[in-house]
Amino acid sequence: MVAPFDAVAVAAAAGRLLANATLAPVRRLTAAAGRIAKTGEPSERVPEGGQGELARLGHSFNTMLAALEESLETQRRFVADASHELRTPLTSSSGFLEMMADEEETLGDTGRHYLSVIRRSTTRLQRIVEDLLLVAQIEARRLELSVEPVDLADVAAAATEAARPAADDKGVTIRLSSLDDARVDADPQRLGQVLDNLVSNAVKFTPPGGTVDVAVERDGLALLVVTDTGVG
């Protein structure tokens, strides 16, 4: 004869086993959703075994992940294809603008002004296209880095000069201070893209009359520092 206490303990243990078995698919769904939220990659699938509502829930979850994965892949292909398609005409336009710049003295003040505006706009579009290509390569895990010794002072100077026309048009002062010796091993093109974006955003969100400072500092490590008087 089983004592009442033993019967309760057996019933509780059986209840825990049943609850664990019942909730195991839900835990798998929760864990998978957490991993996807962290990685942003919906390629994972959960087992669809079992019966009833939980089995249908697993199937629906996998169907949703498959649709999301296809949607993301379509978006990535579009960004990559559009970026490549835009790159060629922009390169051609830049070439023609350089040819026009060789005859700049014959254009007159108005012509030179229009040429300057078009060149700035073309440069900005090229930067946007390069950024789109970079994002597409990162998401496709095809980003290749060409690491070499890079002088951060040169990178900072290039980013500052690239942003100066926009800063001047907006009435924002952009200043550069750098060290003589600040070399690091990096991909100069990718590093330049990152700094170009930082400086461009700093100018964009700094009100007229404000200041953007680009500096190369050393605090044990060489640092690129962008500060501004904007709201951010």
Side-chain angles (χ1 to χ4, degrees):
M1 180 175 180
V2 179
F5 177 79
D6 292 337
V8 170
V10 170
R16 283 197 299 271
L17 289 175
L18 179 61
N20 286 336
T22 303
L23 293 175
V26 178
R27 293 194 182 101
R28 287 195 293 268
L29 288 174
T30 302
R35 287 190 295 271
I36 292 167
K38 287 182 179 180
T39 63
E41 287 295 333
S43 56
E44 186 171 345
R45 298 292 184 271
V46 297
E48 297 183 14
Q51 299 179 359
E53 293 299 324
L54 288 177
R56 285 192 286 273
L57 177 61
H59 177 72
S60 297
F61 188 77
N62 285 338
T63 301
M64 177 194 69
L65 290 179
L68 181 58
E69 185 177 19
E70 182 179 356
S71 176
L72 286 175
E73 182 59 31
T74 300
Q75 177 182 331
R76 289 168 181 167
R77 284 198 303 267
F78 172 77
V79 170
D81 293 344
S83 301
H84 280 292
E85 291 298 322
L86 287 170
R87 201 176 194 180
T88 299
L90 280 173
T91 301
S92 177
S93 297
S94 295
F96 282 114
L97 286 172
E98 290 303 319
M99 293 172 62
M100 291 180 64
D102 292 338
E103 306 294 331
E104 190 170 350
E105 295 301 322
T106 66
L107 298 177
D109 292 341
T110 302
R112 284 194 294 270
H113 172 71
Y114 290 158
L115 177 61
S116 176
V117 171
I118 295 171
R119 290 174 71 178
R120 285 205 300 267
S121 298
T122 303
T123 299
R124 184 169 180 269
L125 283 173
Q126 285 179 313
R127 287 173 56 190
I128 292 173
V129 169
E130 290 299 328
D131 289 343
L132 286 173
L133 280 171
L134 178 60
V135 170
Q137 289 171 345
I138 291 174
E139 290 188 341
R141 293 182 172 82
R142 295 174 183 170
L143 180 64
E144 296 182 359
L145 298 178
S146 179
V147 178
E148 60 185 69
V150 178
D151 189 344
L152 294 185
D154 292 341
V155 178
T160 302
E161 290 308 308
R164 194 175 299 283
D168 290 343
D169 289 345
K170 192 177 180 183
V172 172
T173 300
I174 185 166
R175 302 181 301 200
L176 171 67
S177 59
S178 61
L179 296 172
D180 292 334
D181 183 17
R183 289 187 172 274
V184 297
D185 290 332
D187 184 318
Q189 181 181 357
R190 304 307 182 193
L191 185 59
Q193 281 181 276
V194 171
L195 189 59
D196 283 347
N197 285 335
L198 286 175
V199 178
S200 176
N201 284 335
V203 171
K204 179 179 179 180
F205 293 105
T206 298
T211 303
V212 173
D213 288 294
V214 182
V216 180
E217 301 175 357
R218 185 176 292 280
D219 183 15
L221 299 173
L223 303 174
L224 281 168
V225 181
V226 179
T227 56
D228 61 71
T229 56
V231 294

